Amino acid sequence: MCGIVGYVGEKPAASILIDSLKKLEYRGYDSAGICVLNDSLKTYKTTGKIANLESILPEGIEGTIGIGHTRWATHGKPNTVNSHPHLSGDVAVVHNGIIENYLELKEKLIGDGYIFKSDTDTEVIAHLLHSHLYGGIDGVFKLCDLMVAVQKTLLSLEGSYAIAALCSSDPGVMVVARKDSPLVIGIGDGEIFAASDVTAFLKHTKDVIFVDDDEVASIRAGGNVEFFDADGNPVTKETIKIEWYIEDAEKAGYEHFMLKEIHEQASSVQDTFAGKISEMEGAVVLDELNMSDEQIRHMTRIEIIACGTSWNAGLVGKYLFEQLAGIHTDVDTGSEFRYGYPVICGEVLTIAITQSGETADTLAAVRGARSYGCRAIAITNVVGSTITREIDSVLYTRAGPEIGVAATKSFTTQLITLYMLALKFARIRGKISAEDSKNLLVALKKIPADIQKILNRKKVIQECAKQFSDSNDYFFIGRHLNYPIALEGALKLKEISYIHAEGYAAGELKHGPLALLTDKTPVVAIATKGHTYEKMLSNIKEVKARDAVVIAVADEDDTEIEKYVDVVLRVPKSHELLSPILSSVVLQLLAYYTALERGCSIDKPRNLAKSVTVE
Ligand code: F6R
């Protein structure tokens, strides 16, 4: 995920910015840059590590005010041109977030004569700032100061942003603003810092001010900061003392990356559908899919290829594509696909799901599918990864970098992408009405808030995890869409807590596994309301009759379930097709707290790697 930093003080800015960017490295990035203002703007940027950026910096860069950025590519390849800061005349800007209406703004700015150098959404901010400052590309006289130009620019932006801007005709001031992307100001002694998180400047100051949504701040040399609300009214802000150690802060205060990434899901899910859905029209816009309506209508089958957690997401995708869009869907693991019958793929769409975009088995299987003539698309989280170079089109999840080995936010954002894709196919194939599609999109928009509710109540899940952390075996059961979620719940638990865990289709227990159940075997039953609910209750009774302990994942308004089970972990009531996303967050927390209780190496479980690049 991108990170921004800024400095206004009396010391040379360049080295402070570089140091701050290093502190943001844990967020993950593919390129970095800084801009220092002395008499003019001096900009340095490049791809790869911050060490690469350091190697291109000349000695003794003068200037005590500057901005910097680590970029995690979303719009446009990870290359030097696309890295930040972005410039327009004597204006420089860094940005974290996504400008959803950038195409529309870009078109207008091009019409006004602005020339775009990069493929990023951010560059529109630089040109908008310039056009407000000078009245257009050919303007010579300054019409307003940087602060006013930022305020005017923000009025046209839709989406999320944390920005920091400089302008050489307004020296000695840095302007920052935020909406839906983190931004914090550090108050030092005669110097001010700005950053995406406090890690960046923690070694200089622990006195911070959190910028709120729609606020703008003007930061001047001498340590003077003024805050304004969206209407330009001055705002008084409270300075807070942060009691963090630098080591903790690298995980933003979370004990493990996995916990941090579980908590990021409300925003990563939101980012993944942002700008892609219109609930007013019941439409999903996925231009990057690059498929004509004709191709979508003539599709006869979908072949999903993935491994591990991504394969579990694929199984959810099968239900979605079949139920919503009426397209027969097969799901194969990358490592097994090649042993199947070589299908004739004229009308078959292959969908590869891979967080890293580097999983060797998935890559090999996709190469195989394409060699049969299949059109292939990828759902991945990493811009520029191998799969993106070997595929017809790419749908990016916007989970941001996932550092913990156990996939969490990449899984839920894959589910969101599959959901949008299935809805798009369903509409084009005439399988659902605009009205039904609208309702499903309204339900989708509620998911980030529902995830947040689960996170707010995580203590109950932690208690439950503690209670059963000594177990040797666990079962996870579910039906229909909750069956893959049972598989995923078991996978999470086994990989990080080393407890033997099996995921089962609830109806299959009686065909063998019931023999294993004792009063020492917790069975997690995913029993959210839906058309299989009654059958799940019967399966739960079967399990209870064998004295096993049942932990149910159930809707918050379900009062029936408590009669049959030992513990209930609640999820907010949501649409049946979306509740798997919420249940998975509960199961991630259950696995996390179980592993924590058992003292396991959560972020780096034994024998596992984040990216499996061998077949
Ligand atoms: C489990 C996990 C793995 C990955 C699998 C595929 O938590 O992370 O099972 O899902 O190795 O990885 P990607 O999605 O990168 O292809």
Side-chain angles (χ1 to χ4, degrees), residues 307-310 353-357 359 405-407 414 491-492 495 612:
C307 298
T309 288
S310 297
I353 309 176
T354 164
Q355 183 280 133
S356 60
T359 301
V405 162
Q414 285 167 352
L491 177 59
K492 275 308 76 108
E495 72 179 316
V612 187

Side-chain angles (χ1 to χ4, degrees), residues 248-558:
D248 295 339
E250 287 184 349
K251 291 180 190 125
Y254 290 98
E255 199 171 344
H256 295 97
F257 281 110
M258 183 181 177
L259 188 61
K260 173 172 170 280
E261 287 157 6
I262 291 173
H263 278 77
E264 282 169 349
Q265 290 177 107
S267 59
S268 57
V269 156
Q270 167 96 36
D271 287 347
T272 298
F273 66 67
K276 297 195 182 309
I277 61 170
S278 156
E279 73 271 33
M280 298 296 283
E281 288 162 28
V284 174
V285 184
L286 293 173
D287 293 338
E288 58 275 43
L289 184 61
N290 250 336
M291 282 177 77
S292 67
D293 288 3
E294 197 70 349
Q295 282 172 314
I296 292 172
R297 275 190 212 104
H298 286 135
M299 214 189 308
T300 50
R301 192 166 73 80
I302 291 176
E303 171 71 51
I304 297 180
I305 298 169
C307 298
T309 288
S310 297
W311 181 74
N312 291 337
L315 289 175
V316 175
K318 172 182 167 68
Y319 289 106
L320 295 174
F321 289 125
E322 291 186 344
Q323 186 168 325
L324 286 172
I327 312 170
H328 174 83
T329 302
D330 293 311
V331 190
D332 281 298
T333 58
S335 53
E336 288 297 317
F337 174 79
R338 63 184 61 184
Y339 309 122
Y341 187 72
V343 276
I344 307 302
C345 282
E347 314 293 337
V348 176
L349 175 69
T350 299
I351 303 179
I353 309 176
T354 164
Q355 183 280 133
S356 60
E358 303 292 350
T359 301
D361 286 326
T362 303
L363 289 171
V366 170
R367 285 173 198 139
R370 294 191 84 212
S371 73
Y372 304 145
C374 270
R375 179 181 176 79
I377 67 169
I379 297 177
T380 186
N381 194 37
V382 183
V383 176
S385 55
T386 305
I387 195 124
T388 65
R389 298 192 292 268
E390 300 195 9
I391 207 96
D392 297 300
S393 40
V394 185
L395 301 179
Y396 285 108
T397 50
R398 287 175 175 163
E402 194 175 64
I403 295 164
V405 162
T408 50
K409 58 181 182 165
S410 63
F411 177 68
T412 44
T413 53
Q414 285 167 352
L415 297 187
I416 294 287
T417 307
L418 288 162
Y419 186 80
M420 291 193 294
L421 197 55
L423 261 180
K424 181 173 177 72
F425 288 169
R427 280 294 291 136
I428 291 173
R429 293 164 69 97
K431 296 288 178 187
I432 60 168
S433 67
E435 201 51 39
D436 286 346
S437 183
K438 271 184 206 174
N439 292 337
L440 287 164
L441 291 175
V442 168
L444 174 63
K445 282 197 99 172
K446 202 174 137 281
I447 292 297
D450 287 344
I451 292 177
Q452 195 52 54
K453 277 191 200 160
I454 295 171
L455 297 171
N456 295 347
R457 300 183 212 139
K458 63 187 178 218
K459 275 260 164 281
V460 180
I461 304 171
Q462 183 168 14
E463 284 310 311
C464 171
K466 263 190 194 168
Q467 203 180 333
F468 302 107
S469 64
D470 285 340
S471 309
N472 291 323
D473 305 283
Y474 247 94
F475 275 81
F476 289 74
I477 57 171
R479 278 175 180 262
H480 187 233
L481 279 160
N482 288 333
Y483 162 50
I485 301 306
L487 296 179
E488 176 58 10
L491 177 59
K492 275 308 76 108
L493 188 73
K494 70 183 117 184
E495 72 179 316
I496 62 166
S497 76
Y498 314 144
I499 294 178
H500 164 243
E502 293 197 37
Y504 256 89
E508 282 293 293
L509 277 190
K510 56 187 174 296
H511 299 292
L514 274 185
L516 289 171
L517 299 188
T518 69
D519 59 357
K520 304 253 171 332
T521 327
V523 177
V524 179
I526 303 145
T528 44
K529 284 271 172 72
H531 69 285
T532 60
Y533 178 74
E534 294 301 331
K535 287 215 158 50
M536 271 307 289
L537 284 186
S538 308
N539 295 135
I540 286 171
K541 287 174 196 164
E542 273 164 21
V543 169
K544 279 307 298 171
R546 273 80 191 173
D547 294 328
V549 178
V550 178
I551 302 165
V553 178
D555 291 341
E556 59 195 355
D557 61 354
D558 182 352

